[in-house]
């Protein structure tokens, strides 16, 4: 059974600090997909990144970076030089092939960036 | 282009009433998903469609919940004889295919009194 754990319920940082959001997953499949979504106070979930299980390359997109490590079943998300607009709830999610339509989400990490 | 839309945005129902929640996915998206999100929690999978075929409904909490997507586009989630525990935000999402990123609608907040 697939499971996603986001152990950090809430994180508070001051603007310009770097912050890492942890995501640990459980799966028995060798083919799976990992995602991060952002849910700002307005409520609508926004897609950030998708990774498949065969691609362990880390990715950087502006101030965002992701570290995927199959050895520790982790897919962590780092925001560099955080900004107030980064304040939101961040969700990590997992889909297993072949039933990749069924996604399991973690409970989310609420990030507050203070000015 | 237009994103995923849901209607109504808010719904108040008396216990025992039936409700119907509508989702308009992004045009051309094959896969459509329904989730239930309780306050302070992540979205919980309910069901998903590939075109008009409902491929997985394992997350539907009871036989009072029913979803359809008859023409492979618009979908409706119906809840019969609503109960207080059905109060939640119901999210719809669509994607180009399974395993790809999902685009979410704003949700329908259902309150059962």
């Amino acid at each position: 059974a697939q499971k996603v754990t986001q152990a950090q319920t809430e994180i508070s940082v001051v603007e310009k600090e770097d912050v890492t959001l942890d995501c640990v997953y459980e799966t028995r499949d060798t083919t799976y997909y990992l995602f991060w979504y952002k849910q700002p106070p307005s409520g609508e979930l926004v897609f950030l990144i998708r990774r498949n299980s065969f691609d362990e390359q880390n990715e950087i997109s502006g101030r965002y970076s992701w570290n995927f490590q199959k050895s520790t079943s982790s897919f962590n998300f780092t925001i560099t030089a955080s900004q107030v607009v980064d304040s939101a709830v961040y969700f990590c999610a997992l889909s297993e092939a072949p039933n990749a339509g069924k996604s399991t989400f973690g409970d989310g990490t609420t990030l507050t960036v203070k000015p | 282009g237009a994103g995923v839309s849901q209607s109504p945005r808010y719904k108040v129902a008396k216990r025992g009433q039936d409700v119907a929640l509508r989702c308009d996915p992004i045009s051309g998206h094959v896969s459509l998903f329904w989730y239930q999100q309780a306050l302070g929690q992540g979205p919980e999978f309910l069901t998903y469609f590939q075109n008009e075929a409902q491929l997985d409904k394992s997350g539907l909490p009871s036989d009072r919940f029913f979803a359809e997507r008859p023409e492979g586009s618009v979908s409706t989630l119906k809840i019969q004889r609503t109960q207080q525990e059905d109060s939640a935000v119901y999210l719809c999402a669509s994607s180009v295919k399974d395993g790809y990123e999902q685009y979410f609608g704003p949700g329908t907040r259902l309150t059962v009194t």
Side-chain angles (χ1 to χ4, degrees):
Chain A
Q2 54 194 53
K3 184 178 178 182
V4 175
T5 301
Q6 295 181 255
Q8 304 151 307
T9 306
E10 295 182 14
I11 299 176
S12 181
V13 299
V14 177
E15 211 171 16
K16 297 184 184 175
E17 282 185 28
D18 299 348
V19 57
T20 295
L21 310 182
D22 297 334
C23 173
V24 174
Y25 62 92
E26 293 177 29
T27 178
R28 294 179 183 172
D29 280 294
T30 55
T31 303
Y32 52 89
Y33 309 95
L34 294 163
F35 306 84
W36 275 95
Y37 292 88
K38 174 182 180 180
Q39 190 170 36
S42 63
E44 204 158 321
L45 278 113
V46 175
F47 165 76
L48 294 177
I49 190 171
R50 169 185 180 268
R51 261 287 177 263
N52 74 56
S53 53
F54 299 109
D55 182 3
E56 282 194 77
Q57 242 185 339
N58 292 331
E59 179 152 343
I60 298 175
S61 175
R63 295 184 297 107
Y64 295 172
S65 62
W66 290 269
N67 183 277
F68 176 26
Q69 292 197 337
K70 288 174 76 170
S71 60
T72 55
S73 297
S74 65
F75 186 42
N76 296 338
F77 172 30
T78 297
I79 302 174
T80 303
S82 59
Q83 300 177 0
V84 172
V85 294
D86 296 327
S87 297
V89 182
Y90 291 87
F91 292 99
C92 181
L94 165 70
S95 296
E96 297 170 328
N99 188 21
K102 182 173 183 178
S103 293
T104 296
F105 282 72
D107 281 337
T109 297
T110 301
L111 174 66
T112 302
V113 181
K114 299 178 180 176
Chain B
V4 177
S5 61
Q6 293 186 245
S7 60
R9 291 292 311 278
Y10 303 91
K11 177 70 179 177
V12 178
K14 290 190 188 308
R15 192 162 63 96
Q17 280 185 336
D18 297 349
V19 298
L21 313 180
R22 177 187 168 106
C23 172
D24 283 84
I26 292 173
S27 177
H29 277 194
V30 167
S31 301
L32 183 146
F33 312 84
W34 284 100
Y35 296 89
Q36 181 188 64
Q37 187 175 25
L39 193 62
Q41 295 185 11
E44 290 278 347
F45 172 84
L46 294 177
T47 185
Y48 92 97
F49 294 83
Q50 198 174 83
N51 296 308
E52 66 278 5
Q54 189 174 20
L55 297 189
D56 190 323
K57 54 181 180 179
S58 62
L60 296 176
S62 76
D63 58 9
R64 296 185 296 103
F65 286 70
F66 171 75
E68 60 183 5
R69 193 187 185 197
E71 297 177 359
S73 178
V74 171
S75 176
T76 304
L77 176 67
K78 297 179 180 177
I79 309 173
Q80 297 177 325
R81 305 181 303 282
T82 51
Q83 304 293 317
Q84 282 194 318
E85 61 262 29
D86 300 335
S87 295
V89 176
Y90 290 86
L91 299 172
C92 176
S94 69
S95 72
V96 294
K97 59 187 288 188
D98 296 351
Y100 282 73
E101 58 270 24
Q102 297 180 19
Y103 294 87
F104 283 80
T108 294
R109 182 178 296 279
L110 173 66
T111 303
V112 181
T113 60

